[in-house]
Amino acid sequence: MDERYDSYCAVDPLFYDSLASASTVVAGYATDRPVPDGWECEVKDDWLIHGPVDGSLPQQGWKIHVSARLDNAERVLTRVMDYCQPRGIPFKHLRGPRMLLMRNSKYARRAGSGKFITVYPRDDAELELTAKELAALLDGEQGPYILSDLRYGDGPVFLRYGGFAARYCLSPDGQVVPAIEDASGTLVPDRRDPVFHVPEWVTLPDFLAPHLAARNAASTTELPYRIEKVIHFSNGGGLYEARDTRTGDRVVLKEARPYAGLDATGADAVTRLRREAEVLRQLADVPHLVRVHDEFSFGGHEFLALGFVEGRPLNQLVVERYPLVHLDADRAAYTGWALDVHRQVTEAVDAIHAHGIVYGDLHMFNVMVGDDGTATLVDFEVAAPADAAGRPALRNQAFAAPRDRTGFDVDRYALACLRLALFLPLTAMLRLAPEKAAHLADVVAENFPVPRDLLDETVAVIVGGRAEPPDGHVGAPDEQAASPAGTSGAVRVDPDDWPGLRDRLAAAIAASATPHRDDRLFPGDIRQFTGSDGGLNLAHGAAGVLWALHASGAPTEPEHERWLIDRVREPASGSRLGFYDGLHGIAYVLDRLGHRDEALRLLDLCLDQPWTDLGNDLIGGLSGVALNLTHFAGVTGERRYADAARQAVDLVVERLGDVDSVAEISGGRHPYAGLTRGGAGVALMLLRRYELDPDPVLLDHAATALRQDLRRCVQRDAGHLEVNEGWRTMPYLAEGSVGIGLVLDQYLRHRPDQRFETAAAAIRRCADSPFYAQSGLFAGRAGIVTYLAGRGEYDPARQQTRLLSWHALPYRGLTAFPGDQLLRLSMDLATGTAGVLTALAATRPAEAARLPFLTPLPEANPPSEARPLPDLRPLPDATPAGSAG
């Protein structure tokens, strides 16, 4: 589970959303305080920005951060405002308590945690005076330690060098990131790591030297434990494998940071760590539980040493053994193993209940299984007496009980989800539609020899006999009669039900639209809230949804097209330029929708930006740009677009390099593989160029790009080839192997290559799995459908289409799909319903909708004074320009 998604579930029960949306702010800080004469106040994302009218600041410098707890935040803010406003010092602060809670929550970004107020001194003299006087004013106040900063004294005042103005540059992997100038005036990434860092060209002010020395004084060598391995970091602290140097015992150290790692009640990591130690001592006689070894404090942090549990997390073992992924696995043997693990966990939970304790956080990550099959429960942070337990304040949403479950029923619900998830790990969707449990149970019964009475009991516990739908349900009670879900909770996806299926998906998308919002039109992935343009682009924003509707033959609303046009008329600072992540893709969609003037205006704006600095990739780099410029050169006949396209191709080839260095491919200039970010996207662009201008050198370079990707792949035991990400392998369309396979197939239509044929055959095996964790186009089953349809294998594609029923959910009497992580519905192209719609349309040969540029470009109109494509062979002494993605 990607913990980032949890914080985007706090606003809306159906869709991912951000607390920064103005409509979500219930209570705010300083809302009743009048703005002083000569000052102005502006809302920006999570922040309220205060400053003198027409005031000026340097572009970058040392800034002061102030942290606070929930219970002293108002007081701290008042003191800072009372100090800064009379002196004309600009500052900003988080808008309200919910934002402060989420910024300091357990799974918040560690680098940004603790930052409640930011103060912008205008020079070094003001920096020193302000830091000193604020520290004195806030003496005795407490707040979380800001990991990215240097602490000033012992209070809540911290300092860091960074950007003041909103400036952006490209990171080494081609991402748009906040920027500062280096000594030469070049924009470089403004590092925001969870560790204090001074840029190499910046001198630490003398008055900070004692504070840096104090920070560096603490050393873990003083501990009676030797840390051997970092297991995990969260905003609440760390988890480490260690050894007790006094006894030689192996232990796991749990670290808790004070005032950080907050849960939904506001309790910090230290509070939960102490509670865990107390509960585990009460349960010392219960089998299958981790044991307390020691407790101690160090450097202001609390530590709990737990006995080391031999084994591995249950989720890892399920991934390795799961028969619906590993098709040669013995389903009966797996069933016996899974039911035995569940039996042990149930016995442990029953014994915990006998002591009057609710465990509260049962899920696969908290079950360790040894080589001998013994299960052990770990992580008792939220365990509490049954008579005092409310809803667990931290929870894994795939196992978290709805609001109507309390006490021991919280654990019983999680046990039911665990039994289901061991055979079909899709229980995250049950928060959206509990009746889906019956459908999932039917799927389990069809694929595993699980006793039917166990499945019926599981469904009964999950559904719970409620007359009213729980929080987060996707349809109101009066909508259920019209729902495509039957009594089993199944929403059928039948590829032969066309255009009816298309119309239900399109209507669901339209019903979700929020044209009154500025940040997004259609709800989608959390990436919509990254930067100022995340809700606009092709992958995750309005452009992708409108393109999917248009390409599949569904109508688009003029109001929605106008919404997109209005928001790109003057793109915000830092807007991305790429095809899937930025303005190039939006221009392409506007052109396809019939708004060519707006499209060309946007395209010209892109060409006025430093686009040649982009990486090589398809999603946001020069490969996508080259394809888009080639498209516009063809439809307009404009030479400037053709020339720019050729320049983009030249740059890509110049940077491409070769495939001789494994280190370069895995960690250097080619860190990614796949269609959107790897060599396959580069090769796709080169193939499209070759089809317009058949220079065989283009095929040579396409082969190089494909070989770079194949070096990042690994062959699984069953013979299928997947992208190796180190801790997992990926078969999917965007960053997995079927995206590579799609381009390999197209390459082989132009030139034979035995190695590529072998790789393509191994990749084809990835598309036969009955199970894919997600339904989306970029990283789910819809991408598999698109790949099969691209090969002309329409029968297998339609069979995979039918299996999309496993993920399909009712929404307003229609049909929709969950996004990444399955916790909320999504309508976007990359992760949600629009992507599924695109895949379904691709299975219909007569009206197939393909992602842009996945098929040969139509014959282009020759631009005026067209010239042949230049020789693309790199010169022998050519120096690569920039980095390849």
Side-chain angles (χ1 to χ4, degrees), residues 44 165-168 176 531-533 570-576 609:
K44 184 172 178 57
R167 295 190 292 175
Y168 301 89
V176 177
S532 58
D533 57 349
E570 294 183 8
S573 174
S575 292
R576 296 167 179 83
Q609 305 302 310

Side-chain angles (χ1 to χ4, degrees), residues 431-510:
R431 297 302 303 278
L432 296 168
E435 67 274 15
K436 187 74 174 178
H439 180 205
L440 300 185
D442 289 342
V443 174
V444 172
E446 292 168 5
N447 289 278
F448 296 93
V450 180
R452 186 73 224 195
D453 60 331
L454 287 181
L455 294 172
D456 292 342
E457 173 190 315
T458 297
V459 173
V461 171
I462 290 170
V463 176
R466 294 182 305 275
E468 295 296 322
D471 60 305
H473 195 270
V474 292
D478 61 350
E479 295 169 335
Q480 297 313 300
S483 170
T487 56
S488 71
V491 180
R492 300 299 177 187
V493 178
D494 183 353
D496 296 325
D497 178 20
W498 190 272
L501 178 57
R502 176 197 66 194
D503 294 344
R504 286 196 299 277
L505 295 174
I509 290 170

